Amino acid sequence: MRTNSQLSNKVVRGLSRILGQEFVNFWLEQAGSTVSTDRCLAEVVRIDRETADAVSLWLRPNDLFKGFEAGQHVNLSVTIDSVVHTRSYSFSSAPSTNGLVRLTIKQTATGVVSRYVVNQLALGTVLELGDVFGDMTLAHTQPNLHSQRPTMLLLAAGSGVTPMISLIEELEAKGWPADVTLMSWARNPEDVLFDAALKAKTNKHFKYVRLLENGANLAEGDLAGRPSAEQFAALAGTLETTDV
Ligand SMILES: Cc1cc2nc3c(=O)[nH]c(=O)nc-3n(C[C@H](O)[C@H](O)[C@H](O)COP(=O)(O)OP(=O)(O)OC[C@H]3O[C@@H](n4cnc5c(N)ncnc54)[C@H](O)[C@@H]3O)c2cc1C
């Protein structure tokens, strides 16, 4: 069965042949549509506030989106004051069948795109997705996936946890084919992204450890200060046999 969007794409392609691709795409864009003959446009369908300075965007891309693998990133183009800005963002969800993808963006002090997204971006905005890149995927990071009980140590700092969330969701969906430890660094407990969701996933195959700055308010199990080889070894066992 054809979806509405496949039908509208067919209509748009027909119109483009008659009126010209540029003309049709221009008016579709003016109307806030994600239908396009040549660009992967995506509508912001949900915004979740994750921390004081970070939000997650749930996007519904049009049919030109070719998908991604857990752990990859995408070029996102945002128009701010009539100027198009392009930045890379990791997918913070595993690939799913509901057609939505999630990006999680943390604002940097004077950053153009991240400050706009975190403070001003509205639901329904249409953004452009470019190429998808990255080989920090399960196929590349876990070559021993077929060995008896592979172990993985994922190290993240700040918004760098986003591709790890995607990988963790993928591993969870596959029934934890490896024993996984995630060490996530942030200055303070309230800055740790996806803290509650990660705690909820903890089980005998998934260990989650927060690493906070010296002086931060520590809870049981938190580590503080600079990460060390001893900590890594204590958490993930023999590093020679662990994918890090
Ligand atoms: C592979 C990859 C994946 C990424 N994934 C994520 C993700 O999942 N989530 C996320 O939040 N971020 C991610 N990023 C970072 C993201 O791409 C942006 O770099 C980030 O959002 C900042 O963009 P911006 O437009 O807000 O800042 P920009 O305006 O580009 O500024 C970047 C930094 O440079 C400083 N700066 C700007 N101009 C000047 C100047 N003239 N002089 C001195 N300093 C200046 C700013 O203060 C800011 O700190 C990723 C980056 C890469 C490469």
Side-chain angles (χ1 to χ4, degrees):
M1 207 173 75
R2 282 180 177 160
T3 63
N4 280 344
S5 122
Q6 280 169 327
L7 275 178
S8 21
N9 278 338
K10 208 171 168 218
V11 172
V12 164
R13 273 198 298 274
L15 281 174
S16 302
R17 275 197 290 275
I18 302 164
L19 300 169
Q21 183 166 301
E22 222 168 287
F23 178 84
V24 171
N25 281 338
F26 173 80
W27 284 108
L28 283 168
E29 200 176 330
Q30 296 303 306
S33 168
T34 56
V35 177
S36 171
T37 56
D38 58 350
R39 294 162 68 204
C40 179
L41 302 178
E43 182 184 352
V44 180
V45 295
R46 187 172 135 192
I47 301 176
D48 294 336
R49 183 152 287 274
E50 302 291 356
T51 61
D53 61 1
V55 296
S56 285
L57 307 180
W58 287 94
L59 307 174
R60 186 186 299 285
N62 68 15
D63 289 350
L64 296 180
F65 185 61
K66 294 193 187 81
F68 70 99
E69 282 179 67
Q72 290 192 305
H73 55 273
V74 65
N75 280 343
L76 177 78
S77 293
V78 184
T79 305
I80 306 169
D81 296 332
S82 310
V83 179
V84 178
H85 301 268
T86 301
R87 303 285 186 272
S88 295
Y89 292 101
S90 298
F91 294 99
S92 61
S93 57
S96 76
T97 49
N98 68 0
L100 300 185
V101 301
R102 180 172 69 178
L103 303 179
T104 302
I105 300 177
K106 182 178 163 70
Q107 108 180 32
T108 61
T110 56
V112 175
V113 172
S114 61
R115 277 192 312 151
Y116 168 80
V117 169
V118 171
N119 302 301
Q120 283 172 263
L121 187 81
L123 267 183
T125 303
V126 172
L127 307 171
E128 183 166 356
L129 296 179
D131 290 332
V132 168
F133 301 96
D135 56 11
M136 198 178 71
T137 59
L138 279 191
H140 284 85
T141 58
Q142 187 52 284
N144 300 324
L145 213 52
H146 301 294
S147 79
Q148 258 204 335
R149 203 57 219 160
T151 50
M152 292 176 82
L153 174 61
L154 305 176
L155 302 174
S159 66
V161 78
T162 49
M164 310 301 177
I165 302 294
S166 179
L167 287 167
I168 288 165
E169 282 188 6
E170 183 80 345
L171 286 158
E172 185 180 30
K174 289 181 186 303
W176 301 107
D179 286 333
V180 183
T181 301
L182 168 70
M183 190 189 247
S184 184
W185 177 90
R187 286 211 164 78
N188 298 296
E190 56 274 19
D191 299 327
V192 183
L193 279 168
F194 299 107
D195 193 39
L198 288 166
K199 278 182 185 147
K201 286 189 194 302
T202 306
N203 66 46
K204 66 177 174 168
H205 298 304
F206 176 57
K207 214 186 298 174
Y208 163 53
V209 179
R210 307 190 307 183
L211 179 65
L212 304 169
E213 258 192 4
N214 277 326
N217 212 353
L218 301 187
E220 196 187 330
D222 288 342
L223 299 173
R226 283 173 184 273
S228 65
E230 290 73 28
Q231 284 172 343
F232 296 155
L235 287 169
T238 323
L239 288 184
E240 284 79 51
T241 58
T242 298
D243 284 303
V244 182

